[in-house]
Amino acid sequence: MNLTLKVWRQNGPSDKGRMVTYRVEDVSPDMSFLEMLDVLNERLILEGDDPVAFDHDCREGICGMCGMVINGVAHGEQRATTTCQLHMRHFEDGATVTIEPWRAAPFPVVKDLVVDRSAFDRIIQAGGFVSVPAGSAPDAHAVPVPKEDADAAFDAATCIGCGACVAACPNGSASLFAAAKITHLGLLPQGQPERDSRARAMVEQMDAEGFGGCTNTGECTAVCPKGIPLDAIARMNADYLRSATR
Amino acid sequence: MAVTGAVLVLFLVGHMLGNLKIFLGAEEFNDYAEWLRTVGAPAVPGRTLLTITEIVLVVSVALHMWSAISLARRAVRARPVKYAARRRSQASGYATRTMRYGGVIIVLFVIWHLLDMTFGVVNPEGGDATPYARMVAGFQPSRWWITLFYLVALVMVGLHLRHGLWSAFQTLGLARRRRALKAGAAVVSAVLVLGFVAAPVAIMIGVVK
Ligand code: HEM
Ligand code: SF4
Ligand code: FES
């Protein structure tokens, strides 16, 4: 199949940037979206052009590096799918595809489609951890966890920190990401001692980074490759209010 | 947003029930309006309940708008560069997308509505007429465009509550069963809108004169 790509090109953080149109030919429907970009980049390199910079690592949907906004939708229209797991068979032959980086002030563009998501790291540093005594590993069943809590905590823990929630949110809010971490740790016994301070610290860091406020639009959960539900945000709010009233 | 919104919703429920008294006739409705002004007398001065309501409403509306404006400004600051491709909504929330402009329409409506029903400035009967007379005069068929404006505003109120009601629970961390909550929000919004719509429509088609 043949495609027309409109790709955001930006030489560096201070460059103004612009959309550039490319033709890509002989794309196999079995290729992933990133492989399609590889084809484009090989050609650009052969022609002596600068290849399109994009982030990626695992290419199997677990690292969270490969975010880009495809035709106005974070990670593309395929639900619960990262860009690296999105396949070209979901596109029509001859289609025009617009590719842009995540757009959020706390995610500055490094180059082309690559953004700096260190703001997420700082939110995690603020409270996304549990303090445990170091030493030898504890026995597996030393701390019993009810099956339901374990399952729900695990579901929340599947957040890969990709940032699609921020990219899709009309408010540029990072609530779903922070809420996933707060839910994951707050459901487990090991997370209880720091539950209040965690919610407060992470929410405050999120605001300090310049993310917007949540208005429960639900755009985040719709594009989240891991399907983190809005319930996580309710839980974050509950923990945050609890910390504020103590 | 959630707390002030809750205050406004409680007011709307009371207001809707009060309006429905129009179906009990002029005397009942005017007595109710009179009661609102004299309740608690002589222990408390006249209009105590109304004055308290008015103060709480003004404060709530102001804070509600202030929160909304702050959120909108933060949203603009959080995304200085817009997407080139039209950002396509992936969530199923028509009501959600009407919140900001819908809120503005509702405020404009409330201003008109106060001039109409409370102060009587734009009401054919004027401010000195009884509440019943003001209401019946206000929704005469010849003033169908006013009634239409009321209906449009009420639909916006319904959409506003459709999202606002469950969103408030979510914000306060009380949303546990989201599906049930959203359904509940839809039902409550629909009942409120229908309750409000009943009086103007009944007057316009001549059921209430
Ligand atoms: C068909 C719908 C409605 C009708 C027929 C109606 C009718 C009235 C009437 C007759 C009054 C004056 C009562 C009196 O003087 O004792 C009034 C007051 C008021 N209405 Fe409505 N109303 C409607 C919908 C609404 C809605 C949707 C809102 C808000 C979003 C609203 C907000 C108010 C406010 C703030 C006051 C003044 C309360 C006060 O003075 O304490 N109304 N309405
Ligand atoms: S919540 Fe979902 S969309 Fe947001 S960072 Fe985590 S995995 Fe990505
Ligand atoms: S490259 Fe790791 S999730 Fe896509």
Side-chain angles (χ1 to χ4, degrees), chain B residues 11-12 15 19 37 50 54 106 109-110 113-114 117-118 134-135 139 150 154 157 196 200:
Chain B
F11 164 75
L12 282 184
H15 189 20
N19 283 353
R37 285 159 180 75
L50 276 187
E54 281 160 6
I106 295 170
F109 161 75
V110 169
H113 175 53
L114 290 180
M117 293 296 168
T118 304
R134 251 177 289 157
M135 199 141 138
F139 297 119
Y150 268 76
L154 283 170
V157 171
F196 272 121

mmCIF file of all heavy atoms in Angstrom, chain B residues 11-12 15 19 37 50 54 106 109-110 113-114 117-118 134-135 139 150 154 157 196 200, ligand 1:
data_model
loop_
_atom_site.group_PDB
_atom_site.id
_atom_site.type_symbol
_atom_site.label_atom_id
_atom_site.label_comp_id
_atom_site.label_asym_id
_atom_site.label_seq_id
_atom_site.Cartn_x
_atom_site.Cartn_y
_atom_site.Cartn_z
ATOM 1 N N PHE B 11 -30.624 23.657 44.588
ATOM 2 C CA PHE B 11 -31.531 24.772 44.317
ATOM 3 C C PHE B 11 -32.460 24.431 43.164
ATOM 4 O O PHE B 11 -33.674 24.667 43.227
ATOM 5 C CB PHE B 11 -30.737 26.041 43.986
ATOM 6 C CG PHE B 11 -31.586 27.095 43.323
ATOM 7 C CD1 PHE B 11 -32.496 27.835 44.061
ATOM 8 C CD2 PHE B 11 -31.506 27.320 41.953
ATOM 9 C CE1 PHE B 11 -33.304 28.777 43.450
ATOM 10 C CE2 PHE B 11 -32.314 28.258 41.332
ATOM 11 C CZ PHE B 11 -33.213 28.992 42.083
ATOM 12 N N LEU B 12 -31.892 23.848 42.101
ATOM 13 C CA LEU B 12 -32.710 23.542 40.926
ATOM 14 C C LEU B 12 -33.831 22.566 41.272
ATOM 15 O O LEU B 12 -34.953 22.704 40.791
ATOM 16 C CB LEU B 12 -31.841 22.968 39.802
ATOM 17 C CG LEU B 12 -31.023 23.984 39.004
ATOM 18 C CD1 LEU B 12 -30.301 23.296 37.863
ATOM 19 C CD2 LEU B 12 -31.907 25.103 38.474
ATOM 20 N N HIS B 15 -36.431 24.531 43.084
ATOM 21 C CA HIS B 15 -37.034 25.482 42.155
ATOM 22 C C HIS B 15 -38.007 24.770 41.212
ATOM 23 O O HIS B 15 -39.112 25.247 40.943
ATOM 24 C CB HIS B 15 -35.912 26.160 41.375
ATOM 25 C CG HIS B 15 -36.360 27.312 40.536
ATOM 26 N ND1 HIS B 15 -37.535 27.988 40.757
ATOM 27 C CD2 HIS B 15 -35.781 27.933 39.478
ATOM 28 C CE1 HIS B 15 -37.652 28.962 39.867
ATOM 29 N NE2 HIS B 15 -36.607 28.943 39.067
ATOM 30 N N ASN B 19 -41.973 25.374 40.870
ATOM 31 C CA ASN B 19 -42.622 25.755 39.608
ATOM 32 C C ASN B 19 -43.821 24.869 39.303
ATOM 33 O O ASN B 19 -44.797 25.319 38.717
ATOM 34 C CB ASN B 19 -41.632 25.637 38.444
ATOM 35 C CG ASN B 19 -40.658 26.794 38.419
ATOM 36 O OD1 ASN B 19 -40.805 27.727 39.192
ATOM 37 N ND2 ASN B 19 -39.680 26.718 37.555
ATOM 38 N N ARG B 37 -41.542 34.170 51.096
ATOM 39 C CA ARG B 37 -41.119 35.474 51.602
ATOM 40 C C ARG B 37 -41.373 35.636 53.097
ATOM 41 O O ARG B 37 -40.746 36.480 53.739
ATOM 42 C CB ARG B 37 -41.850 36.588 50.840
ATOM 43 C CG ARG B 37 -41.294 36.773 49.429
ATOM 44 C CD ARG B 37 -42.266 37.472 48.500
ATOM 45 N NE ARG B 37 -41.700 37.639 47.171
ATOM 46 C CZ ARG B 37 -41.563 36.652 46.283
ATOM 47 N NH1 ARG B 37 -41.947 35.414 46.594
ATOM 48 N NH2 ARG B 37 -41.029 36.878 45.090
ATOM 49 N N LEU B 50 -35.426 33.658 51.413
ATOM 50 C CA LEU B 50 -35.052 34.096 50.065
ATOM 51 C C LEU B 50 -33.688 34.762 50.063
ATOM 52 O O LEU B 50 -32.861 34.504 49.196
ATOM 53 C CB LEU B 50 -36.104 35.056 49.511
ATOM 54 C CG LEU B 50 -37.329 34.419 48.855
ATOM 55 C CD1 LEU B 50 -38.192 35.482 48.212
ATOM 56 C CD2 LEU B 50 -36.914 33.374 47.835
ATOM 57 N N GLU B 54 -30.482 33.577 48.109
ATOM 58 C CA GLU B 54 -29.852 34.441 47.108
ATOM 59 C C GLU B 54 -28.361 34.585 47.364
ATOM 60 O O GLU B 54 -27.553 34.495 46.436
ATOM 61 C CB GLU B 54 -30.535 35.814 47.107
ATOM 62 C CG GLU B 54 -31.863 35.785 46.347
ATOM 63 C CD GLU B 54 -32.809 36.927 46.692
ATOM 64 O OE1 GLU B 54 -32.411 37.829 47.447
ATOM 65 O OE2 GLU B 54 -33.940 36.895 46.203
ATOM 66 N N ILE B 106 -26.109 29.202 29.901
ATOM 67 C CA ILE B 106 -26.958 29.135 31.094
ATOM 68 C C ILE B 106 -26.874 30.445 31.882
ATOM 69 O O ILE B 106 -27.886 30.967 32.351
ATOM 70 C CB ILE B 106 -26.579 27.921 31.968
ATOM 71 C CG1 ILE B 106 -26.888 26.626 31.210
ATOM 72 C CG2 ILE B 106 -27.331 27.952 33.291
ATOM 73 C CD1 ILE B 106 -26.340 25.375 31.862
ATOM 74 N N PHE B 109 -28.858 32.984 30.190
ATOM 75 C CA PHE B 109 -30.262 32.688 30.443
ATOM 76 C C PHE B 109 -30.674 33.164 31.831
ATOM 77 O O PHE B 109 -31.728 33.783 32.001
ATOM 78 C CB PHE B 109 -30.529 31.185 30.311
ATOM 79 C CG PHE B 109 -31.803 30.750 30.978
ATOM 80 C CD1 PHE B 109 -33.030 31.032 30.403
ATOM 81 C CD2 PHE B 109 -31.781 30.091 32.195
ATOM 82 C CE1 PHE B 109 -34.216 30.664 31.026
ATOM 83 C CE2 PHE B 109 -32.956 29.712 32.827
ATOM 84 C CZ PHE B 109 -34.177 30.004 32.242
ATOM 85 N N VAL B 110 -29.856 32.868 32.830
ATOM 86 C CA VAL B 110 -30.229 33.224 34.203
ATOM 87 C C VAL B 110 -30.384 34.735 34.328
ATOM 88 O O VAL B 110 -31.310 35.226 34.987
ATOM 89 C CB VAL B 110 -29.194 32.671 35.213
ATOM 90 C CG1 VAL B 110 -29.421 33.261 36.604
ATOM 91 C CG2 VAL B 110 -29.280 31.150 35.284
ATOM 92 N N HIS B 113 -33.604 35.580 32.757
ATOM 93 C CA HIS B 113 -34.644 34.988 33.573
ATOM 94 C C HIS B 113 -34.919 35.821 34.824
ATOM 95 O O HIS B 113 -36.072 36.020 35.219
ATOM 96 C CB HIS B 113 -34.185 33.576 33.933
ATOM 97 C CG HIS B 113 -35.074 32.849 34.868
ATOM 98 N ND1 HIS B 113 -36.413 32.687 34.648
ATOM 99 C CD2 HIS B 113 -34.814 32.219 36.042
ATOM 100 C CE1 HIS B 113 -36.939 31.990 35.639
ATOM 101 N NE2 HIS B 113 -35.997 31.711 36.501
ATOM 102 N N LEU B 114 -33.853 36.340 35.439
ATOM 103 C CA LEU B 114 -34.041 37.174 36.628
ATOM 104 C C LEU B 114 -34.744 38.475 36.245
ATOM 105 O O LEU B 114 -35.638 38.942 36.951
ATOM 106 C CB LEU B 114 -32.689 37.465 37.298
ATOM 107 C CG LEU B 114 -32.043 36.256 37.978
ATOM 108 C CD1 LEU B 114 -30.715 36.647 38.617
ATOM 109 C CD2 LEU B 114 -32.955 35.665 39.041
ATOM 110 N N MET B 117 -38.570 37.098 35.489
ATOM 111 C CA MET B 117 -39.447 36.578 36.542
ATOM 112 C C MET B 117 -39.236 37.248 37.898
ATOM 113 O O MET B 117 -40.178 37.394 38.677
ATOM 114 C CB MET B 117 -39.234 35.072 36.711
ATOM 115 C CG MET B 117 -39.686 34.261 35.521
ATOM 116 S SD MET B 117 -41.465 34.401 35.281
ATOM 117 C CE MET B 117 -41.654 33.692 33.661
ATOM 118 N N THR B 118 -38.011 37.618 38.222
ATOM 119 C CA THR B 118 -37.772 38.152 39.555
ATOM 120 C C THR B 118 -38.017 39.657 39.597
ATOM 121 O O THR B 118 -38.752 40.161 40.435
ATOM 122 C CB THR B 118 -36.335 37.840 40.015
ATOM 123 O OG1 THR B 118 -36.152 36.428 39.932
ATOM 124 C CG2 THR B 118 -36.112 38.279 41.455
ATOM 125 N N ARG B 134 -47.134 36.931 36.335
ATOM 126 C CA ARG B 134 -45.884 37.151 35.625
ATOM 127 C C ARG B 134 -45.537 35.931 34.778
ATOM 128 O O ARG B 134 -45.118 36.029 33.641
ATOM 129 C CB ARG B 134 -44.758 37.389 36.630
ATOM 130 C CG ARG B 134 -44.259 38.815 36.664
ATOM 131 C CD ARG B 134 -43.199 38.980 37.726
ATOM 132 N NE ARG B 134 -43.762 38.918 39.070
ATOM 133 C CZ ARG B 134 -43.061 38.588 40.165
ATOM 134 N NH1 ARG B 134 -41.786 38.297 40.072
ATOM 135 N NH2 ARG B 134 -43.647 38.546 41.341
ATOM 136 N N MET B 135 -45.723 34.761 35.389
ATOM 137 C CA MET B 135 -45.327 33.544 34.703
ATOM 138 C C MET B 135 -46.245 33.283 33.514
ATOM 139 O O MET B 135 -45.780 32.988 32.424
ATOM 140 C CB MET B 135 -45.378 32.375 35.685
ATOM 141 C CG MET B 135 -44.576 31.201 35.230
ATOM 142 S SD MET B 135 -43.748 30.443 36.623
ATOM 143 C CE MET B 135 -44.018 28.739 36.245
ATOM 144 N N PHE B 139 -45.088 33.455 29.279
ATOM 145 C CA PHE B 139 -45.024 32.333 28.336
ATOM 146 C C PHE B 139 -46.221 32.288 27.402
ATOM 147 O O PHE B 139 -46.597 31.223 26.905
ATOM 148 C CB PHE B 139 -44.889 31.002 29.093
ATOM 149 C CG PHE B 139 -43.622 30.895 29.886
ATOM 150 C CD1 PHE B 139 -43.658 30.735 31.267
ATOM 151 C CD2 PHE B 139 -42.385 30.966 29.256
ATOM 152 C CE1 PHE B 139 -42.488 30.649 31.995
ATOM 153 C CE2 PHE B 139 -41.205 30.880 29.979
ATOM 154 C CZ PHE B 139 -41.256 30.720 31.362
ATOM 155 N N TYR B 150 -36.160 29.666 26.676
ATOM 156 C CA TYR B 150 -36.200 28.910 27.941
ATOM 157 C C TYR B 150 -35.932 27.426 27.676
ATOM 158 O O TYR B 150 -35.177 26.787 28.394
ATOM 159 C CB TYR B 150 -37.572 29.067 28.626
ATOM 160 C CG TYR B 150 -37.629 30.214 29.617
ATOM 161 C CD1 TYR B 150 -37.720 31.521 29.183
ATOM 162 C CD2 TYR B 150 -37.604 29.963 30.986
ATOM 163 C CE1 TYR B 150 -37.783 32.575 30.083
ATOM 164 C CE2 TYR B 150 -37.659 31.008 31.898
ATOM 165 C CZ TYR B 150 -37.755 32.312 31.445
ATOM 166 O OH TYR B 150 -37.805 33.351 32.340
ATOM 167 N N LEU B 154 -32.906 25.223 28.994
ATOM 168 C CA LEU B 154 -33.156 24.067 29.865
ATOM 169 C C LEU B 154 -32.474 22.823 29.328
ATOM 170 O O LEU B 154 -31.957 22.012 30.102
ATOM 171 C CB LEU B 154 -34.660 23.838 30.015
ATOM 172 C CG LEU B 154 -35.305 24.832 30.983
ATOM 173 C CD1 LEU B 154 -36.819 24.734 30.933
ATOM 174 C CD2 LEU B 154 -34.806 24.587 32.404
ATOM 175 N N VAL B 157 -29.061 23.122 30.401
ATOM 176 C CA VAL B 157 -28.969 22.779 31.828
ATOM 177 C C VAL B 157 -28.938 21.259 31.977
ATOM 178 O O VAL B 157 -28.129 20.704 32.724
ATOM 179 C CB VAL B 157 -30.149 23.373 32.628
ATOM 180 C CG1 VAL B 157 -30.169 22.821 34.046
ATOM 181 C CG2 VAL B 157 -30.056 24.893 32.667
ATOM 182 N N PHE B 196 -39.027 21.244 34.653
ATOM 183 C CA PHE B 196 -38.965 22.672 34.335
ATOM 184 C C PHE B 196 -39.747 22.998 33.067
ATOM 185 O O PHE B 196 -40.402 24.029 32.973
ATOM 186 C CB PHE B 196 -37.501 23.104 34.151
ATOM 187 C CG PHE B 196 -36.829 23.535 35.426
ATOM 188 C CD1 PHE B 196 -35.694 22.884 35.891
ATOM 189 C CD2 PHE B 196 -37.319 24.614 36.156
ATOM 190 C CE1 PHE B 196 -35.066 23.291 37.065
ATOM 191 C CE2 PHE B 196 -36.689 25.030 37.330
ATOM 192 C CZ PHE B 196 -35.559 24.353 37.788
ATOM 193 N N PRO B 200 -43.755 26.156 31.333
ATOM 194 C CA PRO B 200 -43.835 27.039 30.152
ATOM 195 C C PRO B 200 -44.645 26.429 29.018
ATOM 196 O O PRO B 200 -45.448 27.131 28.376
ATOM 197 C CB PRO B 200 -42.373 27.200 29.729
ATOM 198 C CG PRO B 200 -41.562 26.828 30.894
ATOM 199 C CD PRO B 200 -42.368 25.883 31.711
HETATM 200 C C1 HEM C 1 -39.063 26.722 32.788
HETATM 201 C C2 HEM C 1 -38.195 26.936 33.657
HETATM 202 C C3 HEM C 1 -38.263 27.974 34.755
HETATM 203 C C4 HEM C 1 -39.350 28.737 35.206
HETATM 204 C C5 HEM C 1 -40.790 28.727 34.709
HETATM 205 C C6 HEM C 1 -38.865 29.540 36.295
HETATM 206 C C7 HEM C 1 -39.647 30.461 37.028
HETATM 207 C C8 HEM C 1 -39.159 31.287 38.003
HETATM 208 C C9 HEM C 1 -39.961 32.249 38.757
HETATM 209 C C10 HEM C 1 -41.466 32.481 38.583
HETATM 210 C C11 HEM C 1 -39.101 32.882 39.621
HETATM 211 C C12 HEM C 1 -39.502 33.963 40.639
HETATM 212 C C13 HEM C 1 -40.043 33.348 41.894
HETATM 213 C C14 HEM C 1 -40.538 34.397 42.882
HETATM 214 O O1 HEM C 1 -40.527 35.588 42.549
HETATM 215 O O2 HEM C 1 -40.925 33.975 43.976
HETATM 216 C C15 HEM C 1 -37.788 32.336 39.436
HETATM 217 C C16 HEM C 1 -36.629 32.722 40.137
HETATM 218 C C17 HEM C 1 -35.339 32.239 39.879
HETATM 219 N N1 HEM C 1 -34.976 31.265 38.961
HETATM 220 FE FE1 HEM C 1 -36.235 30.273 37.724
HETATM 221 N N2 HEM C 1 -37.507 29.273 36.478
HETATM 222 C C18 HEM C 1 -37.117 28.318 35.547
HETATM 223 C C19 HEM C 1 -35.840 27.746 35.366
HETATM 224 C C20 HEM C 1 -34.704 28.187 36.025
HETATM 225 C C21 HEM C 1 -33.378 27.635 35.805
HETATM 226 C C22 HEM C 1 -33.035 26.506 34.832
HETATM 227 C C23 HEM C 1 -32.518 28.335 36.630
HETATM 228 C C24 HEM C 1 -31.014 28.190 36.847
HETATM 229 C C25 HEM C 1 -30.192 27.610 36.052
HETATM 230 C C26 HEM C 1 -33.306 29.296 37.357
HETATM 231 C C27 HEM C 1 -32.822 30.193 38.274
HETATM 232 C C28 HEM C 1 -33.593 31.092 39.011
HETATM 233 C C29 HEM C 1 -33.044 32.001 39.988
HETATM 234 C C30 HEM C 1 -31.554 32.116 40.365
HETATM 235 C C31 HEM C 1 -34.139 32.701 40.546
HETATM 236 C C32 HEM C 1 -34.115 33.755 41.651
HETATM 237 C C33 HEM C 1 -34.210 33.105 42.998
HETATM 238 C C34 HEM C 1 -34.310 34.157 44.109
HETATM 239 O O3 HEM C 1 -34.689 35.289 43.817
HETATM 240 O O4 HEM C 1 -33.974 33.785 45.231
HETATM 241 N N3 HEM C 1 -34.636 29.171 36.968
HETATM 242 N N4 HEM C 1 -37.831 31.353 38.442
#
